[in-house]
Structure formats: C-alpha cells, structure tokens
Amino acid sequence: MTGIVGQSPRRGGGHGRVTGLQQYVADIHLPDMLHARLVTLDTAHARIVSIDPAESRRVPGVHLVLTAADLPQPVPRFGPQFADRPVIAVDEVKYHGEPVAAIAAESKDAAEEAARLVRVEVEELPAVFTIAAALAPDAPLVQDPSLRPNDPLAGTNLLREHRYAWGDVNTAQADLVVEDTYTFPMVTHFAIEPHGFIAAPDGDGIAIWSSIQHPFWLQRTIAKILGLPLSKVRVLAPDPGGAFGGKQHAKFEPLVAFMALRTGRPVRLILSLEETFQAVRRNSSEIRVRTGFRTDGTVTFREIEANYLLGAYADISDRVVGKGAYPGNGPYRVPASQIVARSILSHTPPSTAFRGFGAPQVNWAVESNLDEAARQLGIDGLEIRLRNLARQGERFIPTDLPADGDWQQAVRRAAELIGWADPVAAGRGRGIAVGIKLGPTTGLSYATVRFLGDGSLLVYTGTSDMGQGARTIFAQIAAQELGVPMERINVITGDTFAVPYDQQTSASRSSVLMGNAVLDACHQIQRQLATMAARLHDVDPAAVLVASGTASVSGREIPLVEILIEGLGRLGGELIGNGMARKEGEPGHPLGGSAAFYEFNCTAIEAEVDPETGEILLHRHVTVSDVGKALNPLQVRMQDEGAAIMGLGHTLMEHYIFDDAGRVRNLGAIDYRIPTSKDLPLEMVSDMVENEDGPGPYGAKGMSEGALLCVAAAVAAAVHGATGVVIRDLPLTPQRVWEALEERRGAPEREVAS
C-alpha cells in the first residue's frame, strides 16, 4: 500500500512475543541433543592447581567433562577487538563466574549433578575490582603480558588510552571554572531471554544456534577458531528476546562448538539469569569534568578524564570507551577541549556494549557539571543549554559530522511538555538534560527482495529483530515502494545460509543502513518493472515513471503488481532486487570513520523527594528525540519510552554489589532491582521532531538509544530542585538521597555533595 511509511501497522512478530508462540533458542530441541552445564568457582581470581573430573564422569548420562586440557593447545582465544578470551579458563579464573569446565550429559539434571562433582583445587590470588585498585602501581595484572606483545601498556591493567583534543585548553579564559568527579554504576542488560547456545555437527561443518545480535560476525569467529571456511559454518539466530548490546559478540558459542564436535552430537547450553549477569554488563566509570564558563554561561573550554572499568576480557568494551567518550562534550559548542578516556581491566565479569555505547556515563558527568555551573552563575538550566547548543550544520566536533538536526526544536518541545515556564509545586523540582550519541562509523548491509509471481514479497535481511521492530519497518519500505499490502510480505532473517550479509545489528543502524539496502533492492525491481511495462505497452522505457507502488504509462497509473503479473505471464517467475548500503571507514579519523548520523534526545523530569525516606517520586518524564523521519511512529515511541525506562534503572536503583573478595553478591532478579511498573513515572510523555534530515530512507535517523542517554542528569537536577542536595554518584537510591539530606540537615549553610 502506498503511504504506509509514516503509519503504524501491526508489528511483525509482536503477537508471537506476547503470546509465547515465538521460538527462542531455549525452545529449540534437536534429536539426540546433550545438555551442557558450566562448572564455576566461588572466587574472583585464583590459580587453577588441578581439576579432577573422575567422579563427575561416573554420573550416568554424562558424555563429556571438558576442560582446557581437552582443547587444542594453546587454547584458542577470541574477541571482537583483542583475541584475549579463551574458550574456557586457562590456568587462572579471572572473574567470579568464569567456567573452568563444562559438562555434556543426556539430561540437565545429570549435567548439574556432574558439575557439582568436579573437584577443582585452586590457589586464591589477589584481585582488583575497582578503578583505584586496578591502577595502583602494585596491582596484580589481569592479563598476562605475553597476550599483549609490543604493547607498552602490557605491564599494567590499562588496556588502552584514548585522547581527543582541539583548541588550547591551557590558554582559554573563563570567569568561572567548575570541576567535579562523577561515578556511574556497573549494571547488567537484563534481557528477558537469557543467552542461549546450541552447536551441532553439520556434515563436514558445524551449525550454531545462538541468541546473537551479529550472526555473521559469529560465523567468522567460529570459522577462524575451528579452521573452517565460512561455507561450512552455519549460524541460525532466532529473533532475540531483547539484547541491548549484550548479545553482540560470541560468548560460549566456541565452547559448545568444541563440545559438539567432541561428542558428535548436538550440545545445548542455556544460561540462567544469574549466569547471564556474569557474562555481560555495562562498564562502570569515574569521570572528572573541568569546564570554563563566561558569566553569560557560554562554555570556553572543557577537560574530561574518563576512567571506565572493564572486566577480565576486553570484548568490545575498549571500542565502547573510545566511541563513547569521543562526543563527551555533548551537542555543545566547545572552543577548546581535552578528553582522555581509559579502558581499565579488572577481575570482574566482562563488560561489553550496552544501549548508549559508553555515552550515558560521560553524559551523566558533563550534563551534571553544566547544571552546577548554571546554579553558580544564576542561569536557568534550560537557558544555559540553549546558549551552548550547536546549530544545524555547525561542526561542533572538529573531526566529525556537523550537527545534523535543528536540535533546539527538541529542547524547546521538551521544555514545553514539562511545563518548564510554569511554577513548580511545593516539594518538587524539575530538571532538563540533553544527550547525543554517534551512529555507526562504518557499515555494510545487503538485502534481497523477491517480487513473487502472485504479487507477494519476500524480504531477506541479516538484521536481528530483537524487539526493536526491524521486521516491520523493512516490510513498510517494501510495501511503500512496490505497492504490496503488508500482510503479503514476509521478512526473513536469522540464517547465514539463507540471507545476505549484514555487518551487525547495533548502533541504531538498521533503519538507516539496512533500510537503505531494502530501498535499493526495491528500486532495482522498480527499474525492471519499468522495462516490463514499456514492453507490455510498447512505449519507450524512459517514458515510464515508477514511484511508490505504481507506474505512469502514457498518462495512465498502473499498479506495479498488475505489471508484474501480466509481464511474467503464463511461465510465472519472479523479479529479484539485491540492494546494498555501505559506509566506508575514513583513514586518519579518530574513530576510523565519522558518524553516519547523531542520535539527539532531550529529557525533562519533574520529581518529588520524600524527605524522611529519600524516595524519589517521578511525576512527569518527558522525552523528545530528533528522528529525522518516523518510519513507524508507534515503534518510535515504544523505543523511546523503553530506553527512557531503562535509563531509570541505572539512575535510581541498579548496581552490582561485590564483596571484599570480588564476588558478585546480588546475582538474579531477587537481589538486583530493575524498574517495575511500580517505579515508573506517574506520567510518561514521548514526542519526536521530524524534519526528514537523516541519511536513512525518507530522511530517517537511528533513534533507539537516545532517550536513555540523559535520564540520570535530568533526574538529579530535579532532585536538587526539590531538595537542594547535589549527588554525584549513581544510582540515586533512597538511602543515598536520604544520607545526602541528613548531611544537609546537619550542615544547612552549604551544599552537600555525595
């Protein structure tokens, strides 16, 4: 149907998700399949002295007890940035939850019993699980220096240091300098679907089922580890049940692949929620910000020192640090800036990508720093942002894409929706903050569209629909261009042997890159239909105009479906379009490539604080994103609100708790709090700015992460407005707020910082 883009049709796959009919990895049962269980130790760092599997192997139904000694030597390592992660622990356990052995048995019960019977002798070793401890001169090293040849930092726990600078910070003049340090907690993704993995011998190759976001990247990883050509590694990736960056890269797929090849049978490993906590998390951080201001609130310089705490293995986290800190100044005009961001290894569960990709941490610090300056200068929080905000087309980061939107529109709209100019009720406060994140810096997506003989469509893409609604918008694009009803379109994903290559599903890229690839494929089919129409109506092909589902032939509008069916004739057949969207890297660029687009969001909060308990009540939460073009407005709002609520997690309650030995003490849903319906704002308002100024189809930009970026700073500003206290450490738990209030009550003449 023409005009379907910009509407909100029924979501593809939505019914299966809410009724339980959708098949996740854990729902897949193959004939003759074995069940795997990991053997882990209750320690954060220990030397493995010995592993005795004898008793475990005597458990009926056990087929394999696999340790590092059973793998090729040296044990293969993998990772998206650094090949530092072994298939299973080698010589040492480097974080709480790292497996030292794995069981494959006929049943889960047998595997669990066998796992309990593996005898492991270890020597406890000192561990580092804070930034300060990891950077201490005498800190135990997390990684063996031999894994980092020719790396001058190999003798430290500093994995990489990223530096970005422009202007001259040292000579910049300022009427006011504000400097403070802010901390951001370690949190986990908490996808509803835990990570799941199945591997099975497949002829002379292997098949892998995984809840992975990037099936083609996993295919390369497995092929390299096993020494197989890509054509012998098939990855099947059912739509994930949430991912948020935590399922981007391989975790235990290499392990189950070796187990399947050793046993000659399919092997299945489904992590528990507790094990998922130990498999993926977001980087915690400690960020110092020093900013110079003129008396009118304009920024003259800024220094940012951002230390991010990675886990025992790098995964993609160093890229998170570098890309997250790079736009650390936010969407503001900053004449001089120095940014240093450090990736610091520790004996904690491996961190990885997480919605916002490193930007929420630095945003919390910089936006809070801006609010402190506004208070000292006596300038309204909204006004100081508007005075410094980059204008459309302004190159606010000298080495990157100019501002690609009229961002003042989003800020003013959020201020209007929160009622910024209206009096605030007694006991309440308001806060406003803006956030920015870079879209993809490189990318490659292919799409194939088959226009079948009955006028229905098959759309093949490698994008993972993990709940963001990718299937729906790809179908909308095809429906718009070829004039086919949505119910006659099938979008096929999740099988590297069936769909064309897609580099990855991340960085809010799919609407733009894969969307453009689908559009390109449809345009190829339109050109074929133009030729077909010219033949059928005996006119010059150049005289046939095709657009949005119809062709204009000699002044007559003909549906493309009619041309297809008549043109194919009695023999039937189909037309095929193969589309591509590519964003090349840029040699010499600090990130290897400039942003394809920016995600921009403004969040405003009205909150009340109970002075006796420190509990925060959110009366209104406003989020406005600059989306270019909302291909599906309902899905845009759902993504925006989902990101906003996820942002409330690290703002109000979520954080890992470690004991003195570095063991995680709040694994699982009972002891680790996430926002529930009881924690939501009394009123959530989501809006968007559409100027069709993005690089995607019809002017769209990516948008699914923006509403998370600046939640914390907006809430903290609202808490200050309600109470007068400044808190610089997240989360803003009732206890932390209450302690700040108590301190203020004891020292009423000064501002209290926690």
Side-chain angles (χ1 to χ4, degrees):
M1 305 298 299
T2 58
I4 194 69
V5 167
Q7 298 184 33
S8 302
R10 184 186 295 272
R11 179 170 167 167
H15 183 263
R17 285 181 185 274
V18 299
T19 59
L21 294 175
Q22 179 166 322
Q23 186 180 63
Y24 298 102
V25 172
D27 298 319
I28 296 172
H29 297 274
L30 303 178
D32 217 22
M33 188 162 64
L34 298 173
H35 297 266
R37 189 80 172 94
L38 302 176
V39 178
T40 61
L41 309 176
D42 196 26
T43 180
H45 188 204
R47 184 173 71 86
I48 302 170
V49 177
S50 64
I51 301 176
D52 180 3
E55 193 174 355
S56 172
R57 284 175 174 152
R58 287 194 285 270
V59 174
V62 169
H63 287 258
L64 177 67
V65 181
L66 185 141
T67 70
D70 302 307
L71 292 169
Q73 302 297 318
V75 172
R77 293 175 182 265
F78 61 96
Q81 273 192 280
F82 307 90
D84 61 350
R85 179 183 181 128
V87 172
I88 200 166
V90 178
D91 299 332
E92 282 188 4
V93 171
K94 294 185 178 296
Y95 66 91
H96 182 214
E98 182 171 20
V100 299
I103 312 293
E106 293 286 352
S107 69
K108 288 192 291 185
D109 289 344
E112 289 177 3
E113 182 182 356
R116 285 193 295 270
L117 295 174
V118 175
R119 303 301 177 210
V120 184
E121 182 183 356
V122 299
E123 176 191 356
E124 294 277 355
L125 297 172
V128 291
F129 36 91
T130 65
I131 290 172
L135 292 179
D138 59 347
L141 293 182
V142 177
Q143 290 196 350
D144 188 328
S146 66
L147 292 175
R148 302 165 63 181
N150 305 316
D151 182 351
L153 299 174
T156 75
N157 288 320
L158 184 57
L159 181 62
R160 285 289 183 274
E161 189 172 85
H162 305 268
R163 290 183 176 273
Y164 315 109
W166 60 85
D168 190 344
V169 168
N170 296 322
T171 60
Q173 301 296 307
D175 300 313
L176 172 70
V177 176
V178 178
E179 178 176 358
D180 275 304
T181 299
Y182 305 84
T183 66
F184 193 102
M186 189 182 297
V187 298
T188 191
H189 304 69
F190 216 113
I192 293 176
E193 178 203 22
H195 293 233
F197 323 94
I198 300 172
D202 185 19
D204 55 353
I206 193 160
I208 305 285
W209 289 256
S210 171
S211 50
I212 197 85
Q213 287 177 239
H214 305 339
F216 285 93
W217 200 320
L218 176 61
Q219 184 189 38
R220 294 203 307 270
T221 300
I222 296 295
K224 184 175 182 180
I225 286 179
L226 298 182
L228 292 172
L230 293 174
S231 60
K232 300 296 181 181
V233 178
R234 182 180 187 182
V235 174
L236 300 106
D239 288 354
F244 313 114
K247 297 174 180 174
Q248 286 191 10
H249 298 285
K251 298 294 182 288
F252 293 117
E253 292 92 340
L255 175 63
V256 294
F258 277 111
M259 296 176 78
L261 293 177
R262 283 288 300 269
T263 60
R265 293 172 60 174
V267 174
R268 174 182 192 262
L269 172 65
I270 307 299
L271 298 189
S272 66
L273 182 60
E274 290 77 5
E275 289 171 323
T276 298
F277 273 51
Q278 294 168 303
V280 290
R281 65 169 177 85
R282 188 196 286 276
N283 292 322
S284 56
S285 67
E286 182 177 293
I287 298 177
R288 181 184 66 84
V289 182
R290 180 173 179 268
T291 311
F293 297 87
R294 293 193 183 94
T295 54
D296 65 359
T298 55
V299 174
T300 59
F301 75 88
R302 181 174 287 132
E303 294 176 277
I304 300 172
E305 180 184 9
N307 290 325
Y308 290 75
L309 190 67
L310 278 61
Y313 304 112
D315 200 275
I316 197 66
S317 274
D318 178 61
R319 178 64 174 173
V320 171
V321 172
K323 190 179 177 187
Y326 171 73
N329 285 293
Y332 299 118
R333 193 182 302 113
V334 179
S337 184
Q338 287 183 355
I339 302 172
V340 56
R342 301 185 182 93
S343 301
I344 301 165
L345 297 164
S346 67
H347 294 106
T348 62
S351 56
T352 185
F354 196 130
R355 204 173 195 171
F357 210 74
Q361 292 94 320
V362 70
N363 177 278
W364 153 244
V366 168
E367 285 293 291
S368 296
N369 180 268
L370 191 62
D371 278 322
E372 298 205 23
R375 289 191 286 270
Q376 292 188 38
L377 292 168
I379 300 174
D380 179 80
L382 168 63
E383 184 59 32
I384 198 170
R385 286 173 170 81
L386 290 173
R387 290 180 186 179
N388 289 286
L389 199 61
R391 302 297 189 265
Q392 187 161 16
E394 187 174 347
R395 196 176 292 277
F396 64 107
I397 301 175
T399 48
D400 221 287
L401 180 74
D404 64 351
D406 184 355
W407 295 333
Q408 290 220 358
Q409 290 183 14
V411 177
R412 294 187 187 280
R413 180 61 176 153
E416 176 187 352
L417 291 171
I418 200 72
W420 190 263
D422 300 333
V424 183
R428 298 186 189 180
R430 292 194 188 117
I432 192 166
V434 301
I436 191 171
K437 177 189 172 292
L438 274 62
T441 55
T442 63
L444 178 59
S445 297
Y446 294 95
T448 296
V449 175
R450 296 170 58 192
F451 207 175
L452 304 181
D454 64 350
S456 61
L457 281 173
L458 292 173
V459 180
Y460 295 78
T461 80
T463 297
S464 297
D465 191 334
M466 46 200 177
Q468 81 277 41
R471 289 177 179 276
T472 311
I473 61 167
F474 299 154
Q476 285 181 259
I477 293 169
Q480 173 96 7
E481 296 302 317
L482 299 176
V484 176
M486 289 283 288
E487 60 271 20
R488 291 176 64 79
I489 301 174
N490 191 10
V491 179
I492 298 161
T493 69
D495 183 346
T496 56
F497 277 11
V499 300
Y501 179 84
D502 186 28
Q503 184 187 38
Q504 55 199 85
T505 304
S506 63
S508 303
R509 72 180 60 216
S510 297
S511 296
V512 173
L513 285 170
M514 186 56 79
N516 279 337
V518 172
L519 190 63
D520 184 29
C522 291
H523 287 170
Q524 290 185 25
I525 292 176
Q526 286 181 344
R527 289 192 287 274
Q528 296 175 56
L529 286 165
T531 302
M532 187 179 281
R535 173 173 59 82
L536 292 172
H537 297 275
D538 194 24
V539 299
D540 187 327
V544 179
L545 301 178
V546 177
S548 297
T550 62
S552 176
V553 184
S554 302
R556 179 185 166 206
E557 297 293 324
I558 306 174
L560 297 183
V561 173
E562 285 187 20
I563 295 172
L564 172 85
I565 293 173
E566 184 179 358
L568 292 177
R570 289 191 304 161
L571 293 181
E574 62 188 49
L575 299 183
I576 300 175
N578 291 304
M580 181 184 74
R582 188 181 189 100
K583 186 180 186 310
E584 296 288 355
E586 297 160 48
H589 187 281
L591 298 179
S594 60
F597 55 84
Y598 294 110
E599 284 197 57
F600 179 90
N601 175 269
C602 183
T603 293
I605 299 288
E606 182 168 318
E608 180 178 1
V609 178
D610 185 329
E612 301 303 320
T613 65
E615 188 173 12
I616 299 170
L617 175 63
L618 300 178
H619 282 270
R620 179 176 288 188
H621 186 147
V622 172
T623 168
V624 181
S625 293
D626 177 27
V627 303
K629 170 68 177 176
L631 303 177
N632 184 313
L634 179 59
Q635 289 192 175
V636 168
R637 290 182 189 279
M638 292 165 67
Q639 284 291 301
D640 230 28
E641 293 177 3
I645 294 168
M646 181 172 262
L648 291 176
H650 65 242
T651 299
L652 298 176
M653 60 195 73
E654 291 187 48
H655 63 130
Y656 276 42
I657 298 172
F658 291 88
D659 65 13
D660 292 340
R663 297 170 297 192
V664 185
R665 297 291 83 177
N666 59 337
L667 298 171
I670 300 299
D671 298 317
Y672 180 96
R673 285 206 62 210
I674 63 170
T676 69
S677 57
K678 294 180 178 179
D679 302 299
L680 299 186
L682 298 182
E683 185 180 8
M684 171 72 77
V685 182
S686 172
D687 203 358
M688 65 197 84
V689 171
E690 294 183 80
N691 290 316
E692 300 184 3
D693 48 8
Y698 319 104
K701 303 173 185 175
M703 54 66 56
S704 62
E705 302 170 85
L708 177 144
L709 302 176
C710 51
V711 172
V715 171
V719 168
H720 175 271
T723 65
V725 298
V726 176
I727 300 175
R728 301 189 182 97
D729 303 304
L730 294 178
L732 307 177
T733 59
Q735 178 176 341
R736 180 164 279 154
V737 175
W738 179 83
E739 289 175 349
L741 290 170
E742 283 296 290
E743 189 175 351
R744 180 179 177 80
R745 283 189 273 262
E749 298 302 319
R750 63 185 177 85
E751 192 173 60
V752 176
S754 173

